[in-house]
Amino acid sequence: MDCRLGCGACCIAPSISSPIPGRPNGKPAGERCIQLNNENLCRLFGKPERPKVCLQFKPCPVICGSTNQQALANITELEQLT
């Protein structure tokens, strides 16, 4: 599955414990990543400073659903379970 451009759910719902440029301590769950722009696109996509956890995320229908709202709800639920 290709990522839905402008979704941003994987940049909002999960916590990120590794450093992000502009956030040396990462970010809490449910907070927009500082690197997510107004169009919900990652400013670090394809750059070496992108966190490893972000590089390893692979979109799939089970996690991302068929809408951005489903993706946000699914990833939020996974974050709460872990």
Side-chain angles (χ1 to χ4, degrees):
M1 173 180 182
D2 289 329
C3 190
R4 275 191 304 277
L5 291 179
C7 174
C10 61
C11 301
I12 299 169
S15 61
I16 298 177
S17 58
S18 59
I20 302 166
R23 293 291 304 262
N25 297 317
K27 71 165 213 67
E31 183 178 298
R32 286 177 67 83
C33 179
I34 193 170
Q35 296 299 331
L36 192 61
N37 71 17
N38 291 335
E39 289 80 36
N40 282 346
L41 300 173
C42 178
R43 291 181 185 100
L44 299 177
F45 193 84
K47 295 184 177 180
E49 58 269 24
R50 190 170 178 213
K52 185 177 180 181
V53 66
C54 300
L55 286 170
Q56 292 176 335
F57 179 79
K58 303 295 182 222
C60 71
V62 172
I63 300 299
C64 299
S66 58
T67 67
N68 299 353
Q69 293 78 18
Q70 284 179 342
L72 188 59
N74 290 345
I75 297 171
T76 296
E77 182 178 1
L78 285 173
E79 177 70 24
Q80 292 169 348
L81 293 172
T82 57

